[in-house]
Amino acid sequence: MQEHTDYHFINALNIKEHIKYQFKYCPYCGEKDSFVFNDIKIFKCSKCQRTYFTNPASAVSVIIETPSGIVFVERKFEPKKGYIDTPGGFCEPYEKAEETAVREILEETSIKLDKINFLISGYNEYIYDGVMYITTDIFFYSKLDYIPNASPNDDASRVIFIKREDIDFEKIAFGSSKEALSYYIKNF
C-alpha cells in the first residue's frame, strides 16, 4: 500500500471534523476508546482486533457548455451554501459514475444529457454535519449546441449560465471543481 503523505493529507488530519475524531466506540464490540486510527484510512479495535476502513466517497460532476455559457448551480445547502458549482453529486451504491452524472444533472437542473465524456478526476474534503468525508471527484463534460431548458431542483437553488471569461473562481464551492474548470477551459 502506498502511503499518502502530501500536504493536503497531513493537514486534513488536524481538522476537527476529521473522521478520526468522530468514532468513540468500536462498532463491532462496543468498547469505548478502543478504536485506533492509523492516520491513513484504517481503524482497528485494540480489544476485538476488528478493522474498519474509511475509503473515499465517489462523487461526479459535469461541465456542461452551451451557447449561453457553462451551466452552474447555486448550492442550496451546506457545505458551501450560496456558492456556485458545476452540477453533480454522490454515487449511489452499485451505480456507475456515468449513471450518477446523468441522474444528478437531471435531478439538479432538469437537463437530460445523452452524451458525456470523461474529463479529469480530483479530490475534496467535504464537511457535512460535523464530519469530514474525503471524496474522489470524477469530472465529465458535455458540449451542447442548444440552450437547454433548466430549472433548479434537489440541492440547487438556482441554475446559472456563465460564459467562460466571466467565471469568478472565488465563488466556486470546491477546489476540485476549480481545477476541472481550469483544465477544461485550457484544453477545450
Side-chain angles (χ1 to χ4, degrees):
M1 176 176 81
Q2 181 179 351
E3 302 294 327
H4 249 344
T5 57
D6 72 6
Y7 166 78
H8 296 289
F9 187 81
I10 292 169
N11 192 46
L13 295 173
N14 296 318
I15 297 172
K16 69 179 170 73
E17 293 88 359
H18 193 281
I19 198 160
K20 79 177 193 174
Y21 301 114
Q22 306 306 314
F23 289 135
K24 302 291 183 213
Y25 296 87
C26 173
Y28 301 108
C29 72
E31 185 72 19
K32 184 176 183 184
D33 297 328
S34 66
F35 224 31
V36 180
F37 186 63
N38 76 342
D39 286 342
I40 299 169
K41 66 176 184 177
I42 301 170
F43 283 93
K44 186 165 188 160
C45 178
S46 59
K47 181 179 180 195
C48 72
Q49 302 300 307
R50 298 285 296 268
T51 56
Y52 178 80
F53 294 87
T54 59
N55 293 318
S58 301
V60 302
S61 187
V62 182
I63 296 171
I64 306 168
E65 188 160 23
T66 75
S68 289
I70 294 174
V71 176
F72 288 89
V73 294
E74 182 179 297
R75 295 183 55 79
K76 188 190 275 186
F77 305 111
E78 294 295 346
K80 305 288 186 173
K81 178 182 177 181
Y83 282 76
I84 61 171
D85 208 354
T86 51
F90 288 97
C91 296
E92 297 291 336
Y94 306 104
E95 185 178 47
K96 293 178 181 180
E98 298 87 345
E99 294 168 344
T100 301
V102 171
R103 175 183 56 78
E104 284 286 346
I105 299 312
L106 185 62
E107 288 176 3
E108 288 190 356
T109 67
S110 300
I111 298 172
K112 185 173 182 342
L113 293 178
D114 295 321
K115 184 176 181 194
I116 59 172
N117 303 285
F118 175 76
L119 179 65
I120 194 172
S121 64
Y123 57 85
N124 270 308
E125 296 162 354
Y126 189 90
I127 298 174
Y128 178 78
D129 202 17
V131 178
M132 182 176 68
Y133 299 90
I134 305 299
T135 63
T136 296
D137 299 334
I138 305 163
F139 289 90
F140 297 92
Y141 71 94
S142 182
K143 289 188 174 188
L144 304 179
D145 59 2
Y146 62 93
I147 302 166
N149 289 328
S151 60
N153 294 304
D154 197 32
D155 296 341
S157 59
R158 289 191 311 150
V159 177
I160 310 159
F161 294 79
I162 304 175
K163 295 283 188 186
R164 291 171 173 234
E165 61 273 12
D166 296 329
I167 297 171
D168 182 352
F169 280 79
E170 293 300 313
K171 293 182 179 178
I172 296 174
F174 300 105
S176 65
S177 294
K178 292 175 186 180
E179 290 175 24
L181 279 161
S182 294
Y183 180 83
Y184 177 81
I185 290 168
K186 180 181 177 185
N187 292 290
F188 293 91

